[in-house]
């Protein structure tokens, strides 16, 4: 039997997110949209809709439809020196399926994997379950969660950019340094970019908008992404892998045969529609506007409660990592989150339980703030009342 660690953050969400009356600010997707919402956003009102109802519902294209793979390739060609094509893309069941497929295909017993930390637990627990030696590349708060290249070394390097749970990004020059290190040693670089392209400051030349890892000078790069976070469509369960190395691609395609024949044709069509130019642009504008506005609300909360909480303000994605304190010491974040839920119906994730171990991230909670603004406002109001009663 394969031994794998319990997936703490997913089990936490599964246990608590259906609590009656919950205000869910633990969710990490941009506020979800419906098919009707997407059609209203579309700038081509007379064009085809998301579903082609005459299509017979066979398995469809095994690697994903050419239309969808072309549009995903275009996303990851921005800023790259070469244009990616559908041949560089595999469509998967969500980014969680993409990450698992890449790791299952490329990692085995005795391999050495270096993974940024904190991050989504899948990225280090799956390699451990496959028999790899895993080194955690710790992102420190005093460096604004930027990785230190001086600590690097290994056989596979795993990064998460933008980062979950901190909402920080690895800058372009540091990214290229990681890529150079990997290229010189023949190391595979896996970049989980599920929160891309949700960078809050998208002004020209902004340092907070790094390129996709597909644009780096590194031949053995594997990038994963999905429709769930930045594109508000978690319900269609569409993710992807993008890679320029034909040998790596074929290894993943061969492994995929054992887990996924194809994704649903209906889901494929919805994702293709969402990534069409007429929908993609207004959808991302909607979500960026929501992220910027809501991040400002959380910032105002933190600034008005500096005696009991602190953070490094996120610059991308949908998540914030906030530490709560009582008399200057970190709270027990698991007890804090459970009591907060019971007392106020506000759901957040405890950092030490969901993202750490051995007393890492004590007092930290992850807040998913790109939900409906009204939900966030009410959650912050209740949270403020709670911390004033319990922590001040």
């Amino acid at each position: 039997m394969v031994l794998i660690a319990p997936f703490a953050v997913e089990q936490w969400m599964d246990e608590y997110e259906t609590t009656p009356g919950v205000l869910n600010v633990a969710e990490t997707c941009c506020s979800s949209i419906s098919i009707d919402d997407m059609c209203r956003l579309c700038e081509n009102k007379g064009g085809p809709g998301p579903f082609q109802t005459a299509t017979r519902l066979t398995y469809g294209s095994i690697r994903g439809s050419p239309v969808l793979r072309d549009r995903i390739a275009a996303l990851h060609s921005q800023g790259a020196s070469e244009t990616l094509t559908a041949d560089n893309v595999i469509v998967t069941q969500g980014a969680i399926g993409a990450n698992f497929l890449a790791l299952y295909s490329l990692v085995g017993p005795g391999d050495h994997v270096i993974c940024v930390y904190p991050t989504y637990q899948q990225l280090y627990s799956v390699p451990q379950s496959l028999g790899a030696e895993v080194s955690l590349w710790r992102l420190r708060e005093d460096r604004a969660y930027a990785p230190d290249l001086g600590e690097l070394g290994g056989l596979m390097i795993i990064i998460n950019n933008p980062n979950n749970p901190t909402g920080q990004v690895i800058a372009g020059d540091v990214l290229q340094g990681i890529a150079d290190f990997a290229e010189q040693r023949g190391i595979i670089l896996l970049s989980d970019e599920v929160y891309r392209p949700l960078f809050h400051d998208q002004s020209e030349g902004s340092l907070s908008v790094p390129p996709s890892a597909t644009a780096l000078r590194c031949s053995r790069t594997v990038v994963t992404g999905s429709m769930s976070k930045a594109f508000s469509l978690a319900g269609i369960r569409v993710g992807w892998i993008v890679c320029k190395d034909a040998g790596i691609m074929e290894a993943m395609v061969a492994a995929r045969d054992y887990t996924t024949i194809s994704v649903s044709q209906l889901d494929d069509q919805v994702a293709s529609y969402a990534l069409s130019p007429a929908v993609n642009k207004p959808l991302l504008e909607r979500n960026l506007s929501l992220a910027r506005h809501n991040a400002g609300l959380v910032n105002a909360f933190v600034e008005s409660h500096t005696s009991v909480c602190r953070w490094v303000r996120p610059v991308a994605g949908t998540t914030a990592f906030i530490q709560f304190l009582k008399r200057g010491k970190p709270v027990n974040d698991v007890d804090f989150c459970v009591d907060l839920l019971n007392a106020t119906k506000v759901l957040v994730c405890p950092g030490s339980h969901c993202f750490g171990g051995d007393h890492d991230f004590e007092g930290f909670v992850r807040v998913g703030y790109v939900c409906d603004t009204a939900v966030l406002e009410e959650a912050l109001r209740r949270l403020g009342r709670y911390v004033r009663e319990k922590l001040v």
Side-chain angles (χ1 to χ4, degrees), residues 258-293:
Y258 285 94
T259 61
T260 306
I261 297 176
S262 62
V263 300
S264 156
Q265 282 210 60
L266 299 179
D267 292 348
D268 188 303
Q269 288 180 23
V270 174
S272 298
Y273 181 75
L275 293 181
S276 66
V279 178
N280 184 20
K281 183 174 179 288
L283 176 56
L284 284 177
E285 287 175 348
R286 175 244 192 205
N287 289 350
L288 272 170
S289 176
L290 187 63
R292 291 165 179 153
H293 177 76

Side-chain angles (χ1 to χ4, degrees), residues 182-263:
E183 182 73 2
Q184 291 161 12
R185 293 161 178 81
I187 295 172
I188 294 171
L189 172 60
L190 171 60
S191 181
D192 178 335
E193 299 181 2
V194 71
Y195 293 96
R196 186 177 183 87
L198 206 68
F199 300 101
H200 302 173
D201 179 6
Q202 297 218 0
S203 57
E204 186 174 353
S206 171
L207 295 178
S208 62
V209 184
S212 169
T214 53
L216 302 175
R217 298 185 300 275
C218 183
S219 57
R220 306 189 78 202
T221 300
V222 178
V223 170
T224 59
S226 88
M227 299 301 299
S228 298
K229 310 300 185 181
F231 298 99
S232 300
L233 291 168
I236 64 171
R237 308 308 305 134
V238 169
W240 56 79
I241 298 171
V242 182
C243 179
K244 295 181 287 188
D245 184 290
I248 292 175
M249 284 289 287
E250 289 310 309
M252 292 187 293
V253 167
R256 184 179 179 275
D257 288 340
Y258 285 94
T259 61
T260 306
I261 297 176
S262 62
V263 300

